Amino acid sequence: MKKIVLLAMAICMAAATGVSAKGGPTVDLPIEKQDTIVVKMANGAKMILHLQDMKQLKAFKTYSLDSLMRELDKYIAEVDKLEGAAQQDDASKQMTVVFNKTGDGKATEQVTVTIEETDAQGNVTRQQREIKVERRKEIVSDEVVAIVREAVKTTHDDDDEDLDDEEEDTTTHVKPYKSTRFNLDLDLGLNTFIDREDNNDIFVPDLKPMGSRYVSINSHLISQIGGQKSPFFLVSGLEFAFNNYMFDKNVIVQDIDDETVFTKIEEVKYDKSKLATSSVNVPLMAMLDFKRPNGKEGFHVGAGGFVGYRLGSHSKIKYEHDGSTTKDKDHGSFNLTDMQYGLTGVIGYDDLSLFVKYNMNDLFKENRGPQLNTISFGLRILN
């Protein structure tokens, strides 16, 4: 019976944090002034926690109870000796466990085990042992602490305000679950044209692959559907996209008589010729995101659509003229379609993803330029 009492005392005391730097009992309030939590085991055993406040409960998961039990096993024999001695004489013996902070800055707690004996004449003798118990984060799972926390809340709701104030100063509190979060990420990729057959004899230039870049700065709103363990998410938000279409083989873009045409120039050698656009887009994408066993991001895949609006556009050419470099810009609209819409998808692992974006809208307005669609693809770097 004394074994069980000793182990129950050790567990209860390890779960509390009311210890001063000079040592002393972990629990020092009368029972009637404390919150009491009884954890019933499947085999009928009970673990009783006496808590002075919510701060002690939050510190419960920082203790390595398994290391404490391993150390205390060494002293179970002492309890057996006490039981044997009690049967042979009238001496009174008892064992107490006191937790003290080591003060050395290490993640340990010093435990003093005291065996006290009182003989028939009233003389008291004591024997002491000192051990150290490891302190580690997350030894008790968040789920266990959440269950215990809910039990305390039902009997001591007044402590909630104190808990909110104290959580700012600790790293071991249970983070509240949020089904919706904001995420910043960056898309870096390339653009390409899809030339439709109905262009007939209209000239469509080739693009320089590495010069036709796509950049998008995204603020995504990610909402989990179906509870904390569900892999299903909806992704929305705002995306600010910048498309560069750099033309190959000395081609320039022009607006002639309110129609956009591509022209190949022979007289001048262009170092750079491009059309650049900017737009704001709103995506709506369904995504499956599977967590790894350690809780970190794992494999994810998503698909959906987007709508947007063109913010601006300009053309730029760069060439040598009379021994100096000349750059010309034209900030016209070039009959580009204002409304944007299309399909988007993403696939990846951890914080690195591949994205693809297909503009279903024509790049230029109907009958005012070549009928083209664009595809952007590349890497999405998550923050």
Side-chain angles (χ1 to χ4, degrees):
M1 180 64 182
K2 290 185 178 181
K3 286 185 182 180
I4 298 176
V5 173
L6 171 62
L7 298 182
M9 288 177 56
I11 294 175
C12 294
M13 297 175 73
T17 55
V19 186
S20 67
K22 295 181 180 180
T26 299
V27 180
D28 57 3
L29 288 182
I31 295 297
E32 63 271 11
K33 295 184 179 181
Q34 302 177 29
D35 282 323
T36 302
I37 300 173
V38 179
V39 182
K40 296 183 178 180
M41 309 299 182
N43 60 0
K46 295 181 181 179
M47 180 173 68
I48 301 175
L49 305 180
H50 296 303
L51 303 174
Q52 298 179 26
D53 50 38
M54 294 298 292
K55 186 175 181 181
Q56 289 188 347
L57 175 61
K58 290 187 300 178
F60 177 64
K61 67 177 183 179
T62 67
Y63 286 85
S64 175
L65 301 184
D66 55 342
S67 67
L68 172 61
M69 299 309 300
R70 287 195 303 268
E71 293 294 337
L72 289 180
D73 279 343
K74 301 176 182 179
Y75 298 95
I76 295 300
E78 299 289 348
V79 179
D80 294 333
K81 293 179 181 179
L82 293 178
E83 292 177 344
Q87 296 175 359
Q88 297 175 7
D89 55 48
D90 296 331
S92 174
K93 298 185 179 183
Q94 64 179 0
M95 177 180 289
T96 59
V97 181
V98 179
F99 285 75
N100 305 279
K101 294 183 178 178
T102 59
D104 56 5
K106 297 181 179 179
T108 59
E109 289 239 359
Q110 182 173 292
V111 179
T112 302
V113 179
T114 303
I115 302 174
E116 183 176 294
E117 178 180 354
T118 304
D119 58 22
Q121 288 73 35
N123 299 319
V124 178
T125 59
R126 294 185 179 88
Q127 300 180 24
Q128 290 189 348
R129 309 284 193 277
E130 291 187 355
I131 59 176
K132 289 186 178 181
V133 181
E134 299 174 3
R135 291 187 58 140
R136 297 182 298 187
K137 294 178 63 176
E138 309 298 337
I139 293 302
V140 180
S141 68
D142 288 344
E143 289 80 1
V144 172
V145 175
I147 292 173
V148 177
R149 180 180 180 180
E150 184 64 26
V152 174
K153 182 178 180 181
T154 59
T155 60
H156 206 0
D157 290 337
D158 293 340
D159 283 340
D160 285 349
E161 293 182 1
D162 296 336
L163 176 62
D164 292 337
D165 295 337
E166 293 171 355
E167 280 184 347
E168 295 179 358
D169 301 325
T170 181
T171 59
T172 60
H173 68 276
V174 180
K175 293 183 179 179
Y177 165 67
K178 294 183 179 180
S179 61
T180 299
R181 69 180 190 272
F182 281 98
N183 191 66
L184 290 175
D185 50 65
L186 179 68
D187 290 348
L188 300 175
L190 303 174
N191 294 307
T192 187
F193 284 154
I194 297 180
D195 186 1
R196 301 222 303 262
E197 294 180 357
D198 53 359
N199 280 320
N200 298 322
D201 296 330
I202 298 177
F203 172 61
V204 177
D206 295 327
L207 296 178
K208 291 183 177 180
M210 300 309 297
S212 300
R213 294 179 293 272
Y214 174 86
V215 177
S216 181
I217 302 172
N218 311 317
S219 176
H220 284 149
L221 182 67
I222 304 175
S223 300
Q224 189 172 22
I225 308 299
Q228 189 171 359
K229 295 184 179 181
S230 172
F232 183 64
F233 293 80
L234 285 179
V235 180
S236 186
L238 285 178
E239 300 177 346
F240 293 92
F242 304 89
N243 295 77
N244 276 285
Y245 307 105
M246 188 168 291
F247 310 124
D248 197 7
K249 300 179 181 178
N250 225 45
V251 173
I252 63 173
V253 61
Q254 296 175 300
D255 186 350
I256 301 176
D257 297 330
D258 207 22
E259 182 177 354
T260 300
V261 296
F262 295 103
T263 306
K264 188 172 183 178
I265 304 298
E266 301 292 346
E267 296 81 9
V268 180
K269 175 63 175 178
Y270 292 104
D271 297 326
K272 179 185 296 184
S273 176
K274 72 174 185 177
L275 176 65
T277 67
S278 60
S279 62
V280 57
N281 302 311
V282 178
L284 181 60
M285 182 171 60
M287 185 170 67
L288 293 175
D289 188 353
F290 300 97
K291 302 292 185 182
R292 286 183 277 174
N294 60 7
K296 294 184 178 181
E297 297 292 332
F299 173 76
H300 52 272
V301 59
F306 69 91
V307 295
Y309 189 81
R310 181 179 63 87
L311 298 176
S313 59
H314 69 271
S315 68
K316 179 179 179 180
I317 55 175
K318 177 181 176 183
Y319 58 94
E320 296 291 331
H321 180 68
D322 293 336
S324 61
T325 300
T326 301
K327 299 179 182 179
D328 294 334
K329 280 189 177 183
D330 184 350
H331 289 273
S333 67
F334 293 93
N335 303 303
L336 291 161
T337 303
D338 292 326
M339 292 301 301
Q340 316 281 312
Y341 62 91
L343 301 175
T344 183
V346 64
I347 186 171
Y349 186 84
D350 201 358
D351 290 339
L352 188 62
S353 303
L354 300 177
F355 77 90
V356 63
K357 181 180 177 184
Y358 171 58
N359 281 64
M360 299 176 65
N361 60 280
D362 292 334
L363 182 61
F364 300 103
K365 296 176 181 178
E366 187 176 1
N367 298 323
R368 296 173 67 178
Q371 300 303 293
L372 301 172
N373 300 103
T374 62
I375 288 183
S376 306
F377 57 92
L379 293 177
R380 172 167 294 175
I381 303 174
L382 303 179
N383 181 15

Short mmCIF file of all heavy atoms in Angstrom, two decimals, residues 210-235:
data_model
loop_
_atom_site.label_atom_id
_atom_site.label_comp_id
_atom_site.label_asym_id
_atom_site.label_seq_id
_atom_site.Cartn_x
_atom_site.Cartn_y
_atom_site.Cartn_z
N MET A 210 13.60 31.91 -70.72
CA MET A 210 14.09 32.43 -69.45
C MET A 210 13.75 33.90 -69.25
O MET A 210 13.76 34.39 -68.12
CB MET A 210 15.60 32.22 -69.34
CG MET A 210 16.03 30.77 -69.42
SD MET A 210 15.11 29.69 -68.27
CE MET A 210 15.60 30.38 -66.70
N GLY A 211 13.45 34.60 -70.32
CA GLY A 211 13.09 36.01 -70.18
C GLY A 211 11.62 36.24 -69.93
O GLY A 211 11.22 37.30 -69.44
N SER A 212 10.78 35.24 -70.25
CA SER A 212 9.33 35.38 -70.07
C SER A 212 8.96 34.89 -68.67
O SER A 212 8.49 33.76 -68.47
CB SER A 212 8.60 34.59 -71.15
OG SER A 212 8.95 35.07 -72.43
N ARG A 213 9.18 35.73 -67.70
CA ARG A 213 9.05 35.33 -66.29
C ARG A 213 7.67 35.67 -65.72
O ARG A 213 7.02 36.61 -66.15
CB ARG A 213 10.15 36.01 -65.46
CG ARG A 213 11.55 35.55 -65.80
CD ARG A 213 12.59 36.27 -64.97
NE ARG A 213 12.67 37.68 -65.28
CZ ARG A 213 13.43 38.20 -66.23
NH1 ARG A 213 14.19 37.40 -66.98
NH2 ARG A 213 13.45 39.50 -66.44
N TYR A 214 7.30 34.89 -64.71
CA TYR A 214 6.04 35.10 -63.98
C TYR A 214 6.38 35.20 -62.49
O TYR A 214 7.08 34.35 -61.93
CB TYR A 214 5.08 33.94 -64.21
CG TYR A 214 3.82 34.01 -63.37
CD1 TYR A 214 2.72 34.74 -63.81
CD2 TYR A 214 3.74 33.34 -62.15
CE1 TYR A 214 1.56 34.80 -63.04
CE2 TYR A 214 2.57 33.40 -61.38
CZ TYR A 214 1.49 34.13 -61.84
OH TYR A 214 0.35 34.19 -61.08
N VAL A 215 5.88 36.25 -61.83
CA VAL A 215 6.07 36.45 -60.40
C VAL A 215 4.72 36.81 -59.79
O VAL A 215 3.99 37.65 -60.33
CB VAL A 215 7.10 37.56 -60.10
CG1 VAL A 215 7.22 37.78 -58.59
CG2 VAL A 215 8.45 37.23 -60.70
N SER A 216 4.38 36.16 -58.68
CA SER A 216 3.13 36.47 -57.99
C SER A 216 3.37 36.49 -56.49
O SER A 216 3.95 35.55 -55.94
CB SER A 216 2.05 35.45 -58.35
OG SER A 216 0.84 35.75 -57.69
N ILE A 217 2.93 37.56 -55.85
CA ILE A 217 3.01 37.69 -54.40
C ILE A 217 1.61 37.41 -53.85
O ILE A 217 0.65 38.11 -54.19
CB ILE A 217 3.49 39.09 -53.99
CG1 ILE A 217 4.85 39.38 -54.61
CG2 ILE A 217 3.56 39.22 -52.47
CD1 ILE A 217 5.32 40.82 -54.42
N ASN A 218 1.50 36.39 -53.00
CA ASN A 218 0.18 35.88 -52.61
C ASN A 218 -0.05 36.00 -51.12
O ASN A 218 0.82 35.70 -50.30
CB ASN A 218 0.05 34.40 -53.01
CG ASN A 218 0.47 34.15 -54.44
OD1 ASN A 218 0.13 34.91 -55.34
ND2 ASN A 218 1.22 33.07 -54.66
N SER A 219 -1.25 36.45 -50.77
CA SER A 219 -1.73 36.41 -49.39
C SER A 219 -2.94 35.49 -49.38
O SER A 219 -4.04 35.88 -49.77
CB SER A 219 -2.11 37.82 -48.91
OG SER A 219 -2.66 37.77 -47.61
N HIS A 220 -2.73 34.26 -48.94
CA HIS A 220 -3.76 33.24 -49.03
C HIS A 220 -4.49 33.05 -47.71
O HIS A 220 -3.87 33.05 -46.64
CB HIS A 220 -3.17 31.91 -49.49
CG HIS A 220 -2.85 31.86 -50.95
ND1 HIS A 220 -1.81 31.12 -51.48
CD2 HIS A 220 -3.44 32.48 -52.01
CE1 HIS A 220 -1.79 31.29 -52.80
NE2 HIS A 220 -2.76 32.10 -53.13
N LEU A 221 -5.79 32.89 -47.79
CA LEU A 221 -6.64 32.57 -46.65
C LEU A 221 -6.96 31.09 -46.74
O LEU A 221 -7.63 30.64 -47.67
CB LEU A 221 -7.92 33.41 -46.69
CG LEU A 221 -8.89 33.22 -45.53
CD1 LEU A 221 -8.27 33.73 -44.23
CD2 LEU A 221 -10.19 33.95 -45.81
N ILE A 222 -6.46 30.29 -45.77
CA ILE A 222 -6.58 28.84 -45.81
C ILE A 222 -7.53 28.40 -44.71
O ILE A 222 -7.29 28.64 -43.53
CB ILE A 222 -5.21 28.17 -45.64
CG1 ILE A 222 -4.24 28.69 -46.71
CG2 ILE A 222 -5.32 26.66 -45.71
CD1 ILE A 222 -2.83 28.18 -46.56
N SER A 223 -8.63 27.73 -45.09
CA SER A 223 -9.66 27.31 -44.14
C SER A 223 -9.76 25.79 -44.14
O SER A 223 -9.91 25.17 -45.20
CB SER A 223 -11.02 27.92 -44.50
OG SER A 223 -10.97 29.34 -44.49
N GLN A 224 -9.68 25.20 -42.94
CA GLN A 224 -9.80 23.75 -42.80
C GLN A 224 -11.26 23.37 -42.68
O GLN A 224 -12.01 23.94 -41.87
CB GLN A 224 -9.02 23.27 -41.59
CG GLN A 224 -8.89 21.76 -41.47
CD GLN A 224 -7.95 21.36 -40.35
OE1 GLN A 224 -7.69 22.12 -39.43
NE2 GLN A 224 -7.42 20.15 -40.44
N ILE A 225 -11.69 22.40 -43.48
CA ILE A 225 -13.08 21.97 -43.50
C ILE A 225 -13.16 20.56 -42.90
O ILE A 225 -12.46 19.66 -43.34
CB ILE A 225 -13.65 21.95 -44.94
CG1 ILE A 225 -13.41 23.31 -45.61
CG2 ILE A 225 -15.13 21.60 -44.92
CD1 ILE A 225 -14.07 24.48 -44.93
N GLY A 226 -14.03 20.39 -41.89
CA GLY A 226 -14.25 19.06 -41.35
C GLY A 226 -13.55 18.77 -40.04
O GLY A 226 -13.48 17.61 -39.63
N GLY A 227 -12.99 19.78 -39.38
CA GLY A 227 -12.37 19.54 -38.07
C GLY A 227 -10.86 19.53 -38.12
O GLY A 227 -10.23 19.58 -39.18
N GLN A 228 -10.26 19.45 -36.92
CA GLN A 228 -8.81 19.62 -36.76
C GLN A 228 -8.00 18.55 -37.47
O GLN A 228 -6.87 18.81 -37.88
CB GLN A 228 -8.48 19.64 -35.26
CG GLN A 228 -7.05 20.01 -34.96
CD GLN A 228 -6.83 20.24 -33.47
OE1 GLN A 228 -7.76 20.12 -32.68
NE2 GLN A 228 -5.61 20.54 -33.09
N LYS A 229 -8.53 17.35 -37.63
CA LYS A 229 -7.77 16.27 -38.25
C LYS A 229 -8.11 16.08 -39.72
O LYS A 229 -7.57 15.18 -40.37
CB LYS A 229 -8.02 14.97 -37.49
CG LYS A 229 -7.48 14.99 -36.06
CD LYS A 229 -7.66 13.65 -35.38
CE LYS A 229 -7.09 13.67 -33.97
NZ LYS A 229 -7.24 12.36 -33.29
N SER A 230 -8.96 16.91 -40.26
CA SER A 230 -9.37 16.77 -41.66
C SER A 230 -8.26 17.25 -42.59
O SER A 230 -7.64 18.29 -42.35
CB SER A 230 -10.64 17.58 -41.93
OG SER A 230 -10.94 17.60 -43.31
N PRO A 231 -7.99 16.54 -43.70
CA PRO A 231 -6.99 17.00 -44.66
C PRO A 231 -7.55 17.94 -45.72
O PRO A 231 -6.82 18.37 -46.60
CB PRO A 231 -6.54 15.68 -45.31
CG PRO A 231 -7.76 14.83 -45.29
CD PRO A 231 -8.51 15.18 -44.02
N PHE A 232 -8.84 18.27 -45.63
CA PHE A 232 -9.49 19.06 -46.67
C PHE A 232 -9.46 20.55 -46.33
O PHE A 232 -9.86 20.95 -45.23
CB PHE A 232 -10.93 18.59 -46.87
CG PHE A 232 -11.65 19.30 -47.99
CD1 PHE A 232 -11.22 19.17 -49.30
CD2 PHE A 232 -12.74 20.11 -47.73
CE1 PHE A 232 -11.87 19.82 -50.33
CE2 PHE A 232 -13.41 20.76 -48.74
CZ PHE A 232 -12.98 20.62 -50.05
N PHE A 233 -8.99 21.38 -47.28
CA PHE A 233 -8.87 22.82 -47.08
C PHE A 233 -9.44 23.56 -48.29
O PHE A 233 -9.44 23.04 -49.41
CB PHE A 233 -7.40 23.23 -46.91
CG PHE A 233 -6.75 22.72 -45.66
CD1 PHE A 233 -6.28 21.42 -45.59
CD2 PHE A 233 -6.59 23.53 -44.55
CE1 PHE A 233 -5.68 20.93 -44.45
CE2 PHE A 233 -5.99 23.06 -43.41
CZ PHE A 233 -5.54 21.76 -43.35
N LEU A 234 -9.90 24.80 -48.04
CA LEU A 234 -10.26 25.73 -49.10
C LEU A 234 -9.28 26.90 -49.05
O LEU A 234 -9.01 27.45 -47.98
CB LEU A 234 -11.69 26.24 -48.93
CG LEU A 234 -12.82 25.26 -49.30
CD1 LEU A 234 -14.17 25.91 -49.06
CD2 LEU A 234 -12.70 24.81 -50.75
N VAL A 235 -8.75 27.27 -50.22
CA VAL A 235 -7.74 28.33 -50.31
C VAL A 235 -8.32 29.49 -51.11
O VAL A 235 -8.80 29.30 -52.23
CB VAL A 235 -6.45 27.82 -50.96
CG1 VAL A 235 -5.42 28.95 -51.05
CG2 VAL A 235 -5.89 26.63 -50.19
#
